Amino acid sequence: MSNQIRRFAFFSSSSGKNLRLPLILFLCVVFLCLTQFNRKNSQLAPQTLEVRNSSPYPPATSVTKRVEVPPRHPVASLSPPPKVLPLLVEVRSEQSLPTLEDDLTPLQSASQSASIVPNKPLKKAKKSKVIKSPELLPIRTQAVPSKTPVVVTKERKKQDSAPSNRAAESFIERNEQWTRGVRLRQQWLSLGRDRFPVVALEIDPRAGVALRPIWSNPNGMQGTDPLVRLAPRWQAPAAINGGFFNRNNKLPLGALKRDGRWFSGPILYRGAIAWDDRGNFKISRLYLQETLTTTTGQRIPILYLNSGYVQAGVSRYTPEWGRTYTPLTDYETLVLVQNNRVTAQYPGGENDTRTYPIPPDGYLLTIRAKSVSASALAIDTPVQIESKTIPEDLGNYPQIIGAGPVLMQNRQIVLNALDEKFSAAFNRQAAPRSAIAKTNRGTLLAVTIHNRFSQTPDGLKEGKGPTLNELAQLMQRLGAVDALNLDGGSSTSLYLGGKLIDRDPQTAARVHNGIGIYPSGK
């Protein structure tokens, strides 16, 4: 108590009054300095950037990566820019991720959304496992939009208003041996002002690599699946999508011949590729000519074999189609043939959804639009099938897959889409493309091209893929001798080592068939 009285007496004295004002001023200066120090620390606090990658599967790996990013400094006139602090970046993806030394930019696309939460302390980051750089990276990676609002600055608005070339930057050129007889090629090809990113597999049949047609349903011709699921079903380590099909009824619209058996016949004299296991390949237009003959001398042309393509006339369905057949049009007349003899007739009706058995020792004929009199195929009538291909030598190949149009033959562009009964709009359309070709090196190329980049005064502008004519020119630039266009658009898919290497699997459509690639033979 006496000490407190002595302190009060001191400040009440004349000497104490002289020290009171300087002491108050000193305390005010200390308070202001502490306030300014705390404000700077809050402005320089690390920010968290989270990039999410869309996927139908939960993320398998998480990589934490530090990138030097200058923080905002609104009081630049009062003091020099502060020391740059690290920005913690976390990338989550079910796909393979680059090493921590790689730049983050190639992983981001124009569709990515980043959440920035300023002035928030960072949680202690867990020790991250360094992942080796994968052999293959997808061209583009899409991300799920973040629900957290993005902090938009004037500089950010200016960047967003200009065309982005992130997708172009994310494309990595490479020429790597994936396994014996299979090489991965990613490269830019230019036509005029446009640049096209090409993803291809170069296949060397001389190294024992085998190719086979594959399709979604091994038990029949009806069905579709993404190539990323279709290829493993046939145990194919690599594959490219194949020919056309009807998306509504999921039936093939072109040639499928495997190990000498016609699972689906060609249509409209369109392009096809045929091959054997001795390294012989041929690309040409293909027509299958079948004729039904009777003992009375009648000759009835059969228009299509095991096909989802429907026209007036007679079509034939064999056990390769499946165990049963369901009419594709109204009022079809079905004729059952066993051991080269007509054994039954079934008159169809309107909207007939019944299933009719296909005999294992014969086939089923369907007469559409009453194009042939059913009396010509009365029960117990002996019949025979005459069959040949045009050109004839294509019929000797055990493996065939049809698509079209033919792009190149003998190093020359021979594209004629209208002659192969494709529409003028299809011929002019710019879209993602798939193609297969023989090269001047004795190898095969399975090629996909999804988009283009055009040089403009404002930078690179991304556009749609090539037209058929541009595709033919690009194949010529790749060294193709003969080349065939395959089904394209959303069907365009290239599969290697358990994943699609040309596109995000979420953007890939279901396909009916493809070409399976077996490096160790089949």
Side-chain angles (χ1 to χ4, degrees):
M1 183 69 178
S2 61
N3 290 336
Q4 294 178 357
I5 293 173
R6 281 196 294 270
R7 290 193 193 101
F8 180 78
F10 174 78
F11 283 106
S12 301
S13 66
S14 59
S15 58
K17 290 179 180 179
N18 292 336
L19 293 174
R20 187 185 302 166
L21 182 59
L23 181 60
I24 293 173
L25 291 175
F26 174 77
L27 293 174
C28 291
V29 171
V30 171
F31 177 78
L32 291 174
C33 289
L34 291 174
T35 305
Q36 183 67 12
F37 179 79
N38 290 334
R39 185 179 302 170
K40 287 183 178 181
N41 283 344
S42 64
Q43 291 169 352
L44 299 180
Q47 300 174 350
T48 300
L49 173 65
E50 185 176 356
V51 181
R52 297 185 181 90
N53 190 359
S54 62
S55 167
Y57 310 102
T61 56
S62 178
V63 177
T64 302
K65 180 175 179 179
R66 292 189 174 273
V67 181
E68 298 295 325
V69 178
R72 295 173 297 162
H73 198 279
V75 202
S77 59
L78 299 180
S79 60
K83 183 180 179 181
V84 173
L85 293 181
L87 178 67
L88 187 65
V89 178
E90 188 173 7
V91 180
R92 295 187 181 95
S93 172
E94 92 286 0
Q95 298 175 349
S96 300
L97 298 177
T99 59
L100 300 182
E101 292 75 17
D102 290 341
D103 185 39
L104 176 64
T105 306
L107 284 178
Q108 295 177 337
S109 67
S111 62
Q112 282 183 318
S113 172
S115 310
I116 301 179
V117 185
N119 304 328
K120 212 173 181 181
L122 286 175
K123 295 181 180 179
K124 186 176 180 181
K126 295 181 179 179
K127 186 176 181 182
S128 301
K129 181 180 179 182
V130 177
I131 299 176
K132 293 183 179 180
S133 178
E135 291 185 3
L136 309 173
L137 284 175
I139 296 176
R140 302 186 64 185
T141 305
Q142 295 184 342
V144 175
S146 173
K147 296 181 180 179
T148 308
V150 179
V151 178
V152 181
T153 63
K154 291 183 179 180
E155 292 183 359
R156 176 70 179 274
K157 288 182 178 179
K158 184 178 180 181
Q159 292 174 0
D160 289 348
S161 63
S164 171
N165 60 359
R166 290 179 186 173
E169 292 173 353
S170 68
F171 184 79
I172 303 171
E173 289 193 306
R174 60 184 68 202
N175 189 346
E176 302 172 354
Q177 190 80 20
W178 184 72
T179 190
R180 185 172 184 268
V182 179
R183 177 172 289 274
L184 169 64
R185 293 175 56 181
Q186 291 186 178
Q187 65 187 101
W188 288 101
L189 289 179
S190 297
L191 289 178
R193 295 173 56 188
D194 295 334
R195 300 181 70 205
F196 297 87
V198 179
V199 183
L201 295 179
E202 186 165 11
I203 304 149
D204 189 353
R206 296 164 296 189
V209 182
L211 281 74
R212 290 292 186 274
I214 57 177
W215 51 92
S216 60
N217 182 6
N219 298 317
M221 283 292 100
Q222 187 172 36
T224 57
D225 248 333
L227 188 66
V228 73
R229 291 208 297 261
L230 191 157
R233 185 173 297 138
W234 291 85
Q235 300 178 356
I240 188 171
N241 68 289
F244 301 99
F245 59 97
N246 187 314
R247 290 196 181 276
N248 294 325
N249 58 26
K250 303 177 183 180
L251 295 175
L253 296 174
L256 280 174
K257 186 181 183 183
R258 179 176 170 126
D259 298 332
R261 299 166 62 192
W262 284 106
F263 289 85
S264 179
I267 65 171
L268 302 173
Y269 197 25
R270 286 180 171 175
I273 179 170
W275 68 93
D276 59 28
D277 288 337
R278 298 187 298 275
N280 299 311
F281 291 84
K282 183 169 183 177
I283 292 175
S284 172
R285 294 175 65 181
L286 174 63
Y287 180 74
L288 177 63
Q289 186 179 69
E290 289 196 328
T291 304
L292 183 76
T293 62
T294 67
T295 53
T296 60
Q298 287 188 315
R299 297 178 63 84
I300 302 173
I302 296 176
L303 301 183
Y304 303 109
L305 171 65
N306 294 336
S307 180
Y309 188 71
V310 175
Q311 292 287 303
V314 179
S315 291
R316 186 166 75 102
Y317 292 88
T318 68
E320 283 75 16
W321 177 261
R323 294 182 178 180
T324 61
Y325 168 81
T326 301
L328 302 177
T329 61
D330 294 336
Y331 302 108
E332 295 185 10
T333 300
L334 303 173
V335 179
L336 193 68
V337 178
Q338 294 177 275
N339 295 319
N340 296 323
R341 187 176 295 272
V342 176
T343 58
Q345 282 193 6
Y346 307 102
E350 186 177 5
N351 297 324
D352 191 356
T353 58
R354 291 173 293 178
T355 58
Y356 298 88
I358 300 176
D361 55 352
Y363 49 86
L364 195 67
L365 298 173
T366 175
I367 303 173
R368 298 187 177 118
K370 300 180 179 180
S371 54
V372 174
S373 173
S375 60
L377 297 171
I379 294 177
D380 212 32
T381 301
V383 293
Q384 292 287 337
I385 292 287
E386 297 176 359
S387 181
K388 69 175 182 179
T389 59
I390 300 174
E392 288 190 20
D393 61 331
L394 251 64
N396 299 324
Y397 287 88
Q399 324 295 337
I400 297 178
I401 193 163
V406 175
L407 301 172
M408 292 181 60
Q409 283 186 321
N410 298 322
R411 297 182 171 83
Q412 302 299 315
I413 295 177
V414 295
L415 173 64
N416 192 338
L418 299 181
D419 201 35
E420 294 189 35
K421 303 299 185 295
F422 291 101
S423 68
F426 178 84
N427 188 37
R428 296 189 303 266
Q429 183 182 20
R433 301 287 180 186
S434 298
I436 192 164
K438 290 170 52 180
T439 73
N440 50 17
R441 300 177 294 277
T443 59
L444 285 177
L445 281 177
V447 178
T448 60
I449 307 173
H450 282 271
N451 45 14
R452 74 176 72 206
F453 293 89
S454 305
Q455 190 66 49
T456 68
D458 296 325
L460 285 177
K461 181 180 179 182
E462 185 177 0
K464 295 181 180 180
T467 63
L468 287 174
N469 185 58
E470 289 172 330
L471 178 62
Q473 295 179 61
L474 293 170
M475 298 304 291
Q476 196 172 46
R477 295 280 302 276
L478 287 169
V481 176
D482 302 324
L484 175 72
N485 177 64
L486 302 174
D487 189 12
S490 59
S491 296
T492 292
S493 306
L494 190 60
Y495 172 88
L496 182 66
K499 61 184 178 181
L500 296 185
I501 61 172
D502 66 315
R503 70 187 307 160
D504 186 330
Q506 288 187 316
T507 67
R510 292 170 170 265
V511 298
H512 181 275
N513 58 74
I515 300 175
I517 302 166
Y518 300 86
S520 58
K522 181 64 176 176

